[in-house]
Amino acid sequence: MIHSLFLINSAGDIFLEKHWKSVISRSVCDYFFEAQEKAGEPDNVPPVIRTPHHYLINIYREKIFFVSVIQTEVPPLFVIEFLHRVAEMFQDYFGESSEAAIKDNVVIVYELLEEMLDNGFPLATESNILKELIKPPTILRSVVNTITGSSNVGETLPTGQLSTIPWRRAGVKYTNNEAYFDVVEEIDAILDKSGTTVFAEIQGVIDACVKLSGMPDLTLSFMNPRLLDDVSFHPCVRFKRWESERVLSFVPPDGNFQLMSYHVSAQNLVAIPVYVKQNISFFETGSSGRLDITVGPKQTMGKTVECVLVTIHMPKVILSANLTPTQGTYTYDPVTKILMWDIGKLNHQKLPNLKGSLSLQSGAAKPEENPSLNIEFKIQQLAISGLKVNRLDMYGEKYKPFKGVKYVTKAGKFQVRT
Amino acid sequence: MSASSAFNDEKGGSSSVGEPEYGHDPASGGIFSSDYKRHDDLKEMLDSNKDSLKLEAMKRIVAMIARGKNASDLFPAVVKNVACKNIEVKKLVYVYLVRYAEEQQDLALLSISTFQRGLKDPNQLIRASALRVLSSIRVTIIVPIMMLAIKEAASDMSPYVRKTAAHAIPKLYSLDPEQKDQLIEVIEKLLADKTTLVAGSVVMAFEEVCPERIDLIHKNYRKLCNLLIDVEEWGQVVIINMLTRYARTQFLNPNINESLLEESGEKAFYGSDDEEGKEEKADAAALAKRKPYVMDPDHRLLLRNTKPLLQSRNAAVVMAVAQLYFHLAPKAEVGVIAKALVRLMRSHSEVQYVVLQNVATMTIKRRGMFEPYLKSFYIRSTDPTQIKVLKLEVLTNLANETNISTILREFQTYIKSMDKDFVAATIQAIGRCATNIGEVRDTCLNGLVQLLSNRDELVVAESVVVIKKLLQMQPEQHSDIIKHMAKLTDNIQVPMARASILWLIGEYCEHVPKIAPDVLRKMAKTFTNEEDIVKLQIINLAAKLYLTNSKQTKLLTQYVLNLAKYDQNYDIRDRARFIRQLIVPTDKSGALSKYAKKLFLALKPAPVLESPFKDRDHFQLGSLSHLLNTKAGGYQELPDWPESAPDPSVRNVELEDVISTSEGRIGLLGDWREVPEWTKCTSREKRKDKKVEKPFYSDSEGESGPTESADSESDSGSASESGSESGSGSEESGSESGSEESEEDSESEEEERDEEEEKKKRKKRPERSGSESESEEEEESESESSESESESEEESESETDSKKTKKSKKEKKEISLLDLDDFETTPIEVTPVNNFLSNSLVTDLEGLSLTDTVMNPTTIAPSGAVKTYELLHRITGEGLAVEYCFSRQPFGPDPHMVAVQIQFTNNTSSETKNLHMEEPKLLSGMRIKEFPEIEVLPPGESATVVMGIDFCDSTQAANFQLCTHTKKFFVSIQPPVGELMMPVFLTENEFKKEQGKLMGMNEITEKLTLGEKCQSDHAIVQRVTSAANVSRVPCGSDKECRFAGKTVTSGSLVLVTVVTKEERAAQLTVNCEKMVIGTMLVKDILQALTQ
């Protein structure tokens, strides 16, 4: 199983190492650096690297490479999934899983890693258990610790580890009992030049923030559960109930968690809330080109489209852009060749437009390819698939919780080809 | 790095943690700058007796370790603190110890005794952590100690400790492989463990230590299948992978027959490769002697129980199930995994990478599976290149006649991409589509030829290379393309492409006899300006033309060779010299020149364009070896299907075993085999239900296949308590529920021990309802402990197991034992040691009543069929004893309520006044009809009242307060499922009609073996009616007994059928619209009948 873990920042420094079995010299990372150099982009570093004696499985998150060393056969996804859990745990504890946060909390990080794996095999990966074992740092707690000399390590031993519901800790108490659910849908789409949909599907998640005392047993039902094509659940959800009744029945973990993710199949027609008219052309002679983009609302179900942002990866030969937006602001980074146009809210009356000229490297041939447009947007109070939560019931506890459901639709990987 | 900078570094690290500032006072820092001195200061801090200083020092040391700095010289100072009281210091010391023990073996030994002590600690978590650290210390000398500790821990009461023992096994094995045999014994023992907590870890140990011992799995196979859904996610992955291998050795290939028909069909269409052809022959042979394939039920069990895990949020679990289905499922069923795998494509790019690799392999074997998801593999410009290339691979594999046009259109957009590596891969992909699908070959070729005019060198070169390969397949049909390419030599400047064209012309000069010499002529003109690879190809072309058409090209060749002779590049000079010797006949030329034509114009085999993922599926999918396409260390080969199935009976667990488990440890997963078919998968649901006291399931006793709680020992305290109580002179004889025994005094003599126990359990359930959420686990482990031989030992150990909270309880209990004889004056709450994890201790203490009470014989319930349950024990009630029973009479005021008869007995010497109830706490929908207030209850007297409770057809407890004029007691009534119904009278025909309406999901059938005393019709009727309030339905057959009832609240029909068969076998069928009620009723009746 997992032998060691090295955390490497973008500068190539190994700033943390942890070994679960005997120590492996950090020189093993040289193979990784070699692969990294070959790959160029961090995205292109192969997740699994073979070295003469070990295998390196790595993930890249928040500008950090998590490089784990393994020696024998193990499913690669097992390691990858675990490393992502580690990163998520850092996020959960420190608000971000950045290098600075890890360095600042190196002792807690070390304690966490110690608890998460035993001899390279995952032991406790549930955030609720770990938080009982090792309290997350807060400003208040560090002040209190300084004064009283108490520590971040939980005095009580974690009970969740022993229970059959490892995700929930015992003895939860809140004065305000509340349960909020966010239905977040993302549209993944590829539109072609003419605006027709090549491919579109909806991926949704239900994020929950449940702060309820005791051991509540919740049931969440939908108005139209048949819509969901493929689902995956947090382990707390009783799959059989879903199979037979299409309701989500679960004892929630305490705090924030992702209850389920779902997929609305591409077979159903997916409403595309925006359209883009674009024209990017380069002149045969003279090193310049023209760009003209208009974005407008399409099927928005009467809601406003917000936070619209258009990102274009320009061809390498584009030196600069001289454009005028009718709405929002644009930036062009000549180093990364990324043009970003931040539009904001879409206005029905006056469609935002970005127009102007592009200047090319002198002497360079006109680029053959047209860059594709990546679009981001957000629509509040709308689940584009039409999914609706019917009701939330609580059993097992006597109090009346506050309940709330929020819907948001966002662009996922929304791409317009040109 | 200099010492001072190292120090600064470290200081920065520790200060930023937001620690107290000890590290920065002058004594500890700044002044001393040498390494030695600095550690001196840490040593000082470690030696101090302030925990805070120690903690600070340890934090700095751990920060050093984390950064990979050597801190080994502090070892003695650190190890001294191994017994420190402060938990965090202790933990950090453990971290340090494990890290450096290997280097400082002698000193590490100093710490061992601490852990040995820890292994005996009453608290399971401390035992576990001691074992965990002890086993992580890599010092060979302690191997015997570790072995002993592991063995002991493997039979620990606590499943958590056993889990830790399982984790320790591979550690010891890697330290000393000599121990293998002993470790296998431990593994064998732990494999038999029935808790979900242990299952994943022990299979992990099995895989690391003795993966070849597949025979150890037989007996545990079904259990593992059934537990699977409740095991934690990481354990699931390991178990599924192991079971895949197991199934390959034990079951027959489910596709053995289908593969014949389908593959031959497929071959006709897609031209499958040789290997499939071979298979086919083998299959054809098999067909001759083919028997109808019947899937082993165990094989089916595995497939069925893993399927829900496709919905896991953990990508590794989904992949594990997917590979299991790919390797084991009948072809028709494999399709289900596609959707789940496509879902994973939304995940992180690393996950995508691995999944795509596996999908690529799958698409070669089972293309149809992913065809509906074709569009999910479309490529976005933002994907990383390695993902793009893999998606392209999948798209290429998926291409067939029907979708090729869509795919090619898609490829066209990819060719315009900015990512040139990706474009090159796309061109390769087009080439492969063209070779695989004859219809589009020409289209592809034309498209590729157009690409030859691309400005990008890479694109052109790649196209030329691909065209070259395509042309090699059918050169004769494509002389026009060769001509076209010949013309391109004027324009194309990319050397690679020019070289490829020249090679083509040379190779197929016979198809273009007129153009070839002309091309050579042009090339000869520009020879000196060409790139080296082009020059080489010019020489090749010249040589080939000379051999075929020497008349026209003799002079040209001579010219070219002369030019080459004086080239700057020695490769070219060499080549020219070699060719001249070979082709130009001179007197000195040797035997070789005769064969020149054969050498140069040999027919070159067409390159095969095939997927790099072909044949990768001989590695288990999802494995590291599959990803790397080489065998990784420790990889276990996936065996081929056996020719004939090995004996399936090896997986049977002996019947005796079953009986004993169902008797003794009903709750302890003992009876997983008895769980009715369809409920097996719901175990996960049940588990949660139980834990959270969801109304439906709360008393589903004995069904709990895969549930197990780690807190099992918490309750064995109650058993020990009873034991000691009996010792202190109470009336009953060692068995834990005295009340039961005395109550049923008259019967108890004839009754067998197991029967008693069964009742005990039933009785306990409502009694302990104060802590419903935990009651299930208590019951389980209790029954276990009462069975175990070394009862007292285990009990005492387990009793001390829990934490402080528990200790406090224990103290209370002890007081109660002393004062038991005059409880009237010292009202002390006596509680069985209850689960210390329970949410609110206070309510536990208040609500619980003692299970083992000394009952007054006069309070025995009137009828044998009606059981009495205790509501309030006289000690808890300070002299007021309250019992209740379900009288099974209709409750007058409200027909939807269950009548509960309550008997109050005043054991005090004074009057109790104003007995009434207050503040019922009920779940939504439940209602209570209060009993009329009893104004006075004189000492020694009893009074009986009736109240009604509408339980809403759930076994959820009704909680309320019993109030006297002075006191209030929290009590609760929890009904067994059988009491939630009332009899209805049906005729046989009506019964059959109703039964017909309640089929499918509403019908639960279970096979059983009747208990010894329960073989007659009469006994069956009696037992069924005592378990549930139903009435008998007349029946023509004497092998069948039928009963009917309806639930009190909703009036849903409950139909029970017991069919007796040979020997003592029987079959129980329950039809009920409320499935949960039905399930629970099955359990209860099953238990009543098997005892």
Side-chain angles (χ1 to χ4, degrees), chain B residues 644-832:
Chain B
S644 57
D647 182 13
S649 65
V650 287
R651 284 181 295 278
N652 291 347
V653 182
E654 288 87 27
L655 204 60
E656 282 172 45
D657 229 346
V658 178
I659 289 172
S660 75
T661 46
S662 62
E663 281 171 356
R665 30 179 91 179
I666 256 151
L668 249 188
L669 315 170
D671 55 346
W672 54 271
R673 297 173 77 249
E674 294 182 359
V675 177
E677 205 76 329
W678 71 271
T679 56
K680 274 173 189 163
C681 297
T682 65
S683 49
R684 171 176 175 173
E685 193 179 324
K686 282 179 203 149
R687 171 190 70 190
K688 281 163 214 149
D689 287 337
K690 258 193 256 171
K691 190 70 181 175
V692 300
E693 52 168 309
K694 195 166 165 282
F696 296 146
Y697 282 99
S698 51
D699 77 342
S700 48
E701 161 177 327
E703 65 168 23
S704 55
T707 75
E708 166 55 355
S709 72
D711 9 33
S712 52
E713 68 272 43
S714 58
D715 41 23
S716 52
S718 69
S720 81
E721 188 187 339
S722 71
S724 45
E725 204 174 318
S726 67
S728 70
S730 64
E731 294 162 323
E732 87 271 62
S733 54
S735 140
E736 61 190 280
S737 88
S739 59
E740 167 64 23
E741 222 173 82
S742 49
E743 197 179 324
E744 311 240 328
D745 214 30
S746 52
E747 300 170 359
S748 67
E749 286 167 9
E750 310 133 33
E751 268 172 10
E752 304 220 346
R753 180 176 152 73
D754 51 355
E755 238 167 316
E756 280 173 35
E757 254 175 38
E758 198 261 292
K759 285 195 183 151
K760 254 183 266 164
K761 270 172 223 140
R762 281 163 173 249
K763 211 169 138 52
K764 286 203 86 155
R765 189 193 315 135
E767 276 170 358
R768 251 178 307 143
S769 44
S771 62
E772 311 93 337
S773 63
E774 304 292 344
S775 63
E776 197 58 35
E777 284 89 18
E778 267 179 47
E779 212 155 280
E780 291 163 11
S781 47
E782 183 179 306
S783 52
E784 189 193 37
S785 67
S786 67
E787 280 282 295
S788 72
E789 293 171 8
S790 59
E791 200 173 81
S792 58
E793 235 179 82
E794 270 178 41
E795 279 161 9
S796 60
E797 193 185 330
S798 61
E799 203 179 337
T800 44
D801 239 356
S802 51
K803 301 176 301 181
K804 290 168 203 156
T805 52
K806 207 181 146 184
K807 273 183 195 149
S808 66
K809 279 188 179 180
K810 210 176 118 195
E811 277 156 24
K812 275 191 182 171
K813 189 178 70 199
E814 273 158 13
I815 295 168
S816 76
L817 294 178
L818 294 173
D819 293 344
L820 195 67
D821 40 357
D822 54 13
F823 49 80
E824 281 178 18
T825 50
T826 31
I828 289 163
E829 286 173 334
V830 182
T831 57

Side-chain angles (χ1 to χ4, degrees), chain B residues 402-420:
Chain B
T402 48
N403 59 22
I404 184 69
S405 56
T406 344
I407 291 182
L408 281 181
R409 205 173 319 128
E410 188 65 18
F411 282 176
Q412 266 169 6
T413 57
Y414 299 164
I415 283 167
K416 292 192 201 126
S417 164
M418 278 179 263
D419 184 343
K420 293 305 165 200

Side-chain angles (χ1 to χ4, degrees), chain B residues 812-1090:
Chain B
K812 275 191 182 171
K813 189 178 70 199
E814 273 158 13
I815 295 168
S816 76
L817 294 178
L818 294 173
D819 293 344
L820 195 67
D821 40 357
D822 54 13
F823 49 80
E824 281 178 18
T825 50
T826 31
I828 289 163
E829 286 173 334
V830 182
T831 57
V833 178
N834 191 29
N835 196 317
F836 63 95
L837 306 174
S838 169
N839 292 351
S840 154
L841 213 98
V842 187
T843 45
D844 282 350
L845 290 170
E846 282 172 348
L848 281 172
S849 48
L850 197 65
T851 50
D852 39 354
T853 38
V854 188
M855 292 300 298
N856 189 338
T858 55
T859 60
I860 289 174
S863 139
V866 178
K867 291 206 184 73
T868 311
Y869 305 86
E870 182 170 273
L871 193 59
L872 189 64
H873 182 250
R874 57 178 168 159
I875 297 177
T876 329
E878 298 173 18
L880 179 70
V882 187
E883 299 181 300
Y884 67 95
C885 63
F886 297 95
S887 60
R888 296 196 169 179
Q889 303 295 322
F891 187 66
D894 187 333
H896 291 305
M897 287 188 171
V898 177
V900 184
Q901 187 178 324
I902 302 182
Q903 185 175 42
F904 299 91
T905 311
N906 186 353
N907 294 320
T908 60
S909 51
S910 58
E911 284 185 342
T912 306
K913 291 177 194 161
N914 298 351
L915 263 172
H916 65 284
M917 58 180 285
E918 265 180 19
E919 291 186 32
K921 285 188 193 161
L922 302 170
L923 292 183
S924 60
M926 278 168 64
R927 293 172 299 141
I928 279 192
K929 175 78 182 155
E930 298 172 13
F931 58 82
E933 182 173 321
I934 302 174
E935 288 182 353
V936 181
L937 188 61
E941 294 279 306
S942 294
T944 304
V945 291
V946 177
M947 65 186 286
I949 305 178
D950 179 359
F951 285 104
C952 261
D953 291 351
S954 87
T955 51
Q956 192 60 42
N959 301 310
F960 53 91
Q961 287 181 4
L962 266 187
C963 305
T964 66
H965 61 298
T966 51
K967 284 272 172 188
K968 289 182 178 178
F969 306 101
F970 289 92
V971 293
S972 73
I973 294 180
Q974 193 178 21
V977 67
E979 303 297 345
L980 293 177
M981 47 198 73
M982 53 194 185
V984 288
F985 299 97
L986 298 178
T987 64
E988 189 172 359
N989 281 340
E990 281 170 343
F991 185 91
K992 282 187 176 158
K993 202 174 118 200
E994 293 296 339
Q995 197 174 26
K997 289 185 199 161
L998 294 168
M999 301 302 280
M1001 294 288 280
N1002 296 321
E1003 179 173 278
I1004 304 157
T1005 306
E1006 189 65 35
K1007 290 206 169 63
L1008 67 145
T1009 312
L1010 291 173
E1012 274 181 28
K1013 300 202 158 189
C1014 172
Q1015 294 177 51
S1016 69
D1017 256 15
H1018 178 68
I1020 291 174
V1021 172
Q1022 201 192 1
R1023 298 215 179 188
V1024 172
T1025 48
S1026 74
N1029 192 9
V1030 289
S1031 67
R1032 192 166 180 195
V1033 173
C1035 173
S1037 154
D1038 56 350
K1039 295 239 178 221
E1040 265 185 71
C1041 299
R1042 293 180 185 154
F1043 307 89
K1046 63 177 184 184
T1047 59
V1048 174
T1049 308
S1050 63
S1052 315
L1053 271 182
V1054 181
L1055 307 176
V1056 181
T1057 317
V1058 181
V1059 184
T1060 50
K1061 295 178 180 162
E1062 268 93 74
E1063 301 279 294
R1064 282 154 55 196
Q1067 181 174 315
L1068 169 68
T1069 310
V1070 171
N1071 301 69
C1072 179
E1073 194 181 334
K1074 305 224 158 188
M1075 289 185 294
V1076 190
I1077 298 255
T1079 324
M1080 286 161 53
L1081 190 62
V1082 166
K1083 308 280 174 223
D1084 279 6
I1085 296 180
L1086 209 59
Q1087 204 172 21
L1089 290 176
T1090 47

Side-chain angles (χ1 to χ4, degrees), chain B residues 195-218:
Chain B
T195 60
T196 51
L197 212 55
V198 182
S201 304
V202 68
V203 172
M204 184 269 301
F206 170 85
E207 289 284 80
E208 288 208 9
V209 177
C210 53
E212 70 284 354
R213 288 292 303 278
I214 212 89
D215 56 297
L216 295 180
I217 303 301
H218 291 321

Side-chain angles (χ1 to χ4, degrees), chain A residues 17 26 43-44 60 73 85 114 118 151 162 164 186 188 231 235 240 251 366 369 372 415 417, chain B residues 66-67 88 132 171 233 311 346 350 381 385-386 410 416 455 624-625 633 684-685 692 708 710:
Chain A
E17 63 178 69
R26 53 167 67 190
D43 276 344
N44 274 329
Y60 182 66
E73 170 67 48
R85 291 282 173 89
E114 181 75 24
D118 182 17
S151 70
L162 307 175
T164 45
E186 295 194 349
D188 284 0
V231 286
K240 271 286 147 181
V251 177
K366 118 184 159 97
E369 69 281 333
S372 55
Q415 200 160 78
R417 289 176 177 166
Chain B
R67 258 175 287 121
E88 189 167 18
R132 198 179 147 197
K171 297 186 204 169
E233 0 179 41
Q311 254 63 47
R346 276 278 297 182
E350 296 88 4
S381 61
T385 308
Q386 52 183 354
E410 188 65 18
K416 292 192 201 126
R455 206 172 299 128
L624 183 62
S625 305
R684 171 176 175 173
E685 193 179 324
V692 300
E708 166 55 355

Side-chain angles (χ1 to χ4, degrees), chain A residues 51-253:
Chain A
T51 79
H53 301 289
H54 304 97
Y55 305 95
L56 306 178
I57 298 185
N58 66 80
I59 64 162
Y60 182 66
R61 273 190 70 156
E62 316 271 336
K63 304 209 167 74
I64 302 173
F65 284 101
F66 291 68
V67 182
S68 65
V69 185
I70 56 170
Q71 269 190 319
T72 51
E73 170 67 48
V74 58
L77 271 186
F78 185 95
V79 182
I80 289 169
E81 181 80 27
F82 176 78
L83 293 177
H84 279 294
R85 291 282 173 89
V86 172
E88 271 150 31
M89 203 58 71
F90 291 164
Q91 188 128 26
D92 200 15
Y93 263 75
F94 316 126
E96 51 173 2
S97 122
S98 67
E99 184 188 350
I102 293 172
K103 278 184 168 168
D104 286 350
N105 298 290
V106 71
V107 175
I108 295 184
V109 166
Y110 222 70
E111 283 168 340
L112 276 174
L113 292 175
E114 181 75 24
E115 291 299 336
M116 289 178 84
L117 279 187
D118 182 17
N119 195 35
F121 191 79
L123 190 65
T125 50
E126 282 296 335
S127 131
N128 269 300
I129 294 185
L130 287 169
K131 283 191 174 159
E132 266 186 273
L133 280 167
I134 301 151
K135 305 236 169 65
T138 59
I139 295 168
L140 181 69
R141 183 166 298 124
S142 59
V143 171
V144 172
N145 288 352
T146 319
I147 296 163
T148 61
S150 63
S151 70
N152 277 332
V153 170
E155 291 290 329
T156 50
L157 294 154
T159 50
Q161 220 160 358
L162 307 175
S163 90
T164 45
I165 320 184
W167 54 85
R168 188 167 182 91
R169 61 194 172 93
V172 184
K173 274 246 155 63
Y174 288 102
T175 42
N176 290 323
N177 288 295
E178 46 194 25
Y180 297 115
F181 295 88
D182 290 0
V183 179
V184 183
E185 296 196 336
E186 295 194 349
I187 305 176
D188 284 0
I190 301 176
L191 306 184
D192 74 3
K193 212 181 237 170
S194 59
T196 43
T197 311
V198 177
F199 167 69
E201 63 180 10
I202 298 169
Q203 304 279 353
V205 295
I206 299 183
D207 284 323
C209 174
V210 177
K211 294 183 175 168
L212 296 176
S213 315
M215 274 287 171
D217 192 342
L218 303 179
T219 306
L220 184 92
S221 59
F222 298 104
M223 305 276 254
N224 38 10
R226 304 279 154 196
L227 217 56
L228 308 180
D229 188 38
D230 179 39
V231 286
S232 82
F233 299 120
H234 188 275
C236 69
V237 177
R238 299 176 179 114
F239 187 67
K240 271 286 147 181
R241 279 292 290 282
W242 172 258
E243 285 273 88
S244 58
E245 299 166 54
R246 297 273 149 179
V247 297
L248 298 175
S249 160
F250 56 99
V251 177

